[in-house]
Amino acid sequence: MNSNVTDFRPLKAAALQGGARHSGLECVGPLHWGAHICLMYASQDELLEILVPYFREGLLSNEYCLWITSRTLTPERAADALRAALPDLDQYLSNGQIEILDDTEWYTRGGVFNAARVSEGWFDKLHLALERGFDGLRLSGDTAWLAQEDWDAFVQYEAVLDPAIKQQRILALCTYALEKLRKQELFDVVANHEFALIRERGAWTTFKCYARCRNEQVVRESEARLRATIDGASDGIVTCDGAGAIVLANLTAQCIFNCPPFELIGSNIGDFVPDLAKAMRGGLDLRPHAIFSGEARRKDGSAFPVEWTLSVVTADNQPLFVGFVRDLTQRRAAEAQIRKLHADRVGAIGGMATALAHELNQPLTAAASYLQAAQRLLRMPEHARPARVENAVDRAAEQALRAGKIISHIREFVTRRDPDKTIWDLHDLVQDACELTNQSARQIGVDLKCDFSAAKQRVLADRIQIEQVMANLIRNAVEAVQNAEMREVTIATSCAGDAVQIDVIDTGAGFPEEIKADLFEPFVTSKAHGLGVGLSVSRAIIEAHDGRIWARPNPDGGSIVSFTLPAA
């Protein structure tokens, strides 16, 4: 770098929007997360004049602070200086919000400077800070330990660290002793930082490399456009180095893996998409544009289906692997829903056929009974034949017509047409339903009783459908008491606000516990040979009448099934 392309110009500090933090320094003003600046000091007093208010502000702003001192300023001396400005410093130290370390504990651990270890250490501290609920990491590291033979490696370390810090909740202030900097080294320092802070003529001033300022703007605009494009992608995009470490991940990838960027960056891709890591190691045949399906894992270890593809690019003569990952969770759920809808459609067709057989059985059985009775009467001698033959045939005809109406009403129900509602006397409907079931009840010795207590007797209903519901409930109750000691079934009516309530009460064994919750679902039954469709059809009919149906235990033993209808 030479003076022809470099120009130092004073900077005026300005508050930044979004993520701005108080620096604690009037000469600097607010700093944004990702700021990477440097201080050039001529004495220990100048060093403390900047770092004490810098760290004091960080502690007061709920930031985790890490101060790496030099051999000219011990951690004890640094703590004493900070304590003078912040009397309760010991509380922050005991709470673990600030660490003050010697350079041998950080930069030259084991007597050797390791750039990778130091860089990883900063981000480990950031991770710890965020996990503990701090807003971010405020750090400073002094370079007085830096030997001439380590300078080039350290400059390269700073150049790599600078863009990485910009994307993190980190404020970094690097400090350099002016007495150790030669002219070329001063240029290197300024080039690797956002701006430099130095004391001139008794006042602190900030400056930066003008060429860096202009180049940074171009690069920043280019990076912003590229980042917006990558983050706007609907697929997760992850870039990994040759060892599988993630060096870039877009917003979609962060969402897919449910992992924040400070944890995702640096992690191994194999922890999230094992097959993709296997492909990077040459374990899969990577044909151009080949798309693979497999399983991935989120941060919490939960598995989910993905599609992925992998490309290999070269940067600085090193391979980089770019993976594109698509979360198939929603697609798989949609496919499962489509399969379920198809199965439900098929099931509904079968269920309706079963329901038809179930509901038609009642009138057809009654018609057969009447015709059998008429047949027996016709076999009698004419002079001894009672005049009831025509009545039996008429009743059989009524039940045949009733079967036809049931088919018609079920067809209307399937096509979601409203019930054919007219005003009916509720007690007449109950009597008709009892008449349908009286014969089978008498055959097994069941006593059917009616308790008409409802003052409001008129309801708006589809007569065929409501009689169908009541007949089904009464028949169920009759079957429930056929082996009981007391064989009683009571049909009671009462008023329930603006509705009329019908209770079908039996003295049987009650409903088994395992089916109570799903009693009105299709194909749920307590009968050995039951189809489990009667109550589900009844519920659909009652709800279509703006009523509700439910079941509960009979306090005297048995069950009570109740439903309501709006009073007319």
Side-chain angles (χ1 to χ4, degrees):
M1 187 177 296
N2 56 59
S3 58
N4 293 329
V5 294
T6 304
D7 183 19
F8 294 139
R9 301 189 180 184
L11 293 177
K12 292 183 179 179
L16 299 177
Q17 296 180 351
R21 311 294 294 183
H22 293 294
S23 67
L25 307 171
E26 290 185 7
C27 57
V28 173
L31 290 172
H32 54 82
W33 284 126
H36 182 210
I37 64 175
C38 66
L39 165 69
M40 299 178 184
Y41 64 92
S43 66
Q44 189 177 105
D45 289 342
E46 287 187 1
L47 180 65
L48 292 175
E49 186 179 346
I50 294 298
L51 292 186
V52 166
Y54 172 76
F55 280 116
R56 179 182 182 276
E57 187 61 46
L59 292 173
L60 296 177
S61 300
N62 191 45
E63 297 171 3
Y64 183 83
C65 297
L66 181 59
W67 187 350
I68 310 300
T69 67
S70 66
R71 296 165 190 174
T72 60
L73 177 67
T74 65
E76 293 76 19
R77 173 74 180 91
D80 289 341
L82 184 54
R83 189 178 291 108
L86 190 65
D88 52 352
L89 172 65
D90 291 333
Q91 181 178 346
Y92 290 100
L93 286 167
S94 63
N95 290 339
Q97 187 176 344
I98 181 170
E99 290 182 85
I100 305 177
L101 306 176
D102 185 84
D103 60 76
T104 58
E105 301 176 88
W106 189 261
Y107 286 115
T108 57
R109 191 184 307 161
V112 177
F113 169 67
N114 185 310
R117 175 182 53 77
V118 174
S119 297
E120 185 177 349
W122 299 127
F123 295 108
D124 286 345
K125 291 295 184 182
L126 172 63
H127 187 185
L128 175 65
L130 297 177
E131 275 194 342
R132 293 181 57 194
F134 296 112
D135 291 356
L137 171 65
R138 182 176 295 226
L139 66 90
S140 177
D142 192 73
T143 58
W145 58 270
L146 192 56
Q148 192 62 46
E149 59 268 20
D150 293 326
W151 181 258
D152 290 341
F154 191 83
V155 170
Q156 181 62 30
Y157 148 80
E158 286 270 48
V160 173
L161 186 65
D162 184 57
I165 287 179
K166 290 184 183 301
Q167 301 181 34
Q168 306 297 333
R169 298 176 74 85
I170 294 177
L171 299 179
L173 173 55
C174 303
T175 57
Y176 293 83
L178 279 171
E179 64 181 13
K180 297 196 65 175
L181 290 177
R182 294 176 298 182
K183 183 177 179 180
Q184 180 59 47
E185 293 168 350
L186 186 146
F187 291 150
D188 291 337
V189 170
V190 177
N192 281 332
H193 295 84
E194 191 172 323
F195 62 83
L197 183 64
I198 193 170
R199 192 176 185 86
E200 290 184 326
R201 299 172 185 173
W204 288 104
T205 185
T206 57
F207 65 93
K208 67 164 57 177
C209 172
Y210 179 70
R212 171 188 165 94
C213 177
R214 183 175 55 201
N215 290 338
E216 274 189 347
Q217 183 177 359
V218 174
V219 172
R220 191 180 300 114
E221 291 175 354
S222 177
E223 286 181 346
R225 289 191 294 268
L226 177 61
R227 191 76 199 183
T229 301
I230 293 174
D231 283 341
S234 59
D235 292 341
I237 302 175
V238 289
T239 302
C240 309
D241 63 17
I246 299 173
V247 297
L248 181 145
N250 70 344
L251 289 176
T252 305
Q254 297 166 27
C255 294
I256 286 176
F257 300 123
N258 193 24
C259 188
F262 63 85
E263 291 187 42
L264 198 56
I265 303 301
S267 299
N268 193 285
I269 189 61
D271 296 337
F272 298 96
V273 190
D275 287 346
L276 201 153
K278 181 180 178 181
M280 290 174 53
R281 296 191 298 268
L284 290 177
D285 180 19
L286 291 178
R287 301 179 304 278
H289 310 296
I291 297 176
F292 299 88
S293 296
E295 191 176 81
R297 290 190 293 268
R298 306 191 197 280
K299 175 190 171 185
D300 60 6
S302 58
F304 63 100
V306 293
E307 279 182 350
W308 60 270
T309 186
L310 187 66
S311 300
V312 184
V313 297
T314 302
D316 295 331
N317 297 321
Q318 297 294 324
L320 286 178
F321 296 87
V322 182
F324 299 84
V325 182
R326 176 170 296 175
D327 186 350
L328 299 181
T329 302
Q330 292 185 351
R331 183 195 295 182
R332 292 287 187 265
E335 291 171 353
Q337 181 66 13
I338 291 173
R339 289 193 297 270
K340 182 178 183 300
L341 290 173
H342 179 70
D344 288 349
R345 180 183 177 89
V346 174
I349 294 172
M352 187 51 60
T354 306
L356 276 170
H358 181 276
E359 299 304 330
L360 287 174
N361 184 59
Q362 296 176 18
L364 293 179
T365 300
S369 298
Y370 286 127
L371 290 174
Q372 287 172 357
Q375 190 177 40
R376 286 194 299 270
L377 293 173
L378 289 172
R379 287 174 181 162
M380 297 174 62
E382 188 173 352
H383 66 276
R385 185 186 306 156
R388 294 183 299 165
V389 178
E390 291 81 359
N391 290 340
V393 174
D394 289 341
R395 291 295 180 89
E398 288 176 2
Q399 294 305 312
L401 291 173
R402 177 181 177 80
K405 289 181 179 179
I406 287 176
I407 294 174
S408 174
H409 282 280
I410 288 181
R411 184 176 66 246
E412 291 173 359
F413 179 73
V414 169
T415 56
R416 294 297 190 269
R417 295 177 184 170
D418 290 334
D420 183 12
K421 299 177 184 177
T422 52
I423 297 176
W424 296 95
D425 185 294
L426 174 64
H427 296 159
D428 288 347
L429 298 181
V430 174
Q431 293 285 14
D432 289 346
C434 289
E435 191 173 325
L436 291 173
T437 54
N438 259 333
Q439 183 176 354
S440 59
R442 290 196 199 99
Q443 289 176 351
I444 57 175
V446 176
D447 186 14
L448 283 182
K449 296 181 178 179
C450 293
D451 179 9
F452 295 151
S453 301
K456 301 175 183 177
Q457 296 179 222
R458 298 169 70 76
V459 293
L460 187 65
D462 184 311
R463 181 178 66 86
I464 295 295
Q465 290 188 358
I466 295 304
E467 287 183 3
Q468 178 184 348
V469 170
M470 286 193 286
N472 180 58
L473 298 182
I474 294 170
R475 180 173 53 81
N476 287 347
V478 169
E479 293 179 5
V481 302
Q482 62 182 343
N483 296 321
E485 184 177 345
M486 183 171 63
R487 302 178 183 179
E488 288 186 1
V489 173
T490 303
I491 301 92
T493 64
S494 59
C495 292
D498 294 331
V500 178
Q501 180 171 319
I502 299 92
D503 302 314
V504 179
I505 308 165
D506 69 61
T507 56
F511 294 111
E513 284 293 331
E514 61 270 17
I515 69 168
K516 279 185 177 179
D518 301 318
L519 194 58
F520 294 94
E521 296 299 321
F523 313 114
V524 175
T525 181
S526 60
K527 304 173 187 177
H529 303 289
L531 297 174
V533 296
L535 289 179
S536 65
V537 172
S538 297
R539 183 183 67 174
I541 290 173
I542 295 302
E543 289 177 352
H545 279 75
D546 301 316
R548 66 187 189 95
I549 186 169
W550 69 99
R552 62 190 189 280
N554 183 357
D556 298 326
S559 303
I560 303 175
V561 180
S562 305
F563 67 92
T564 61
L565 293 172

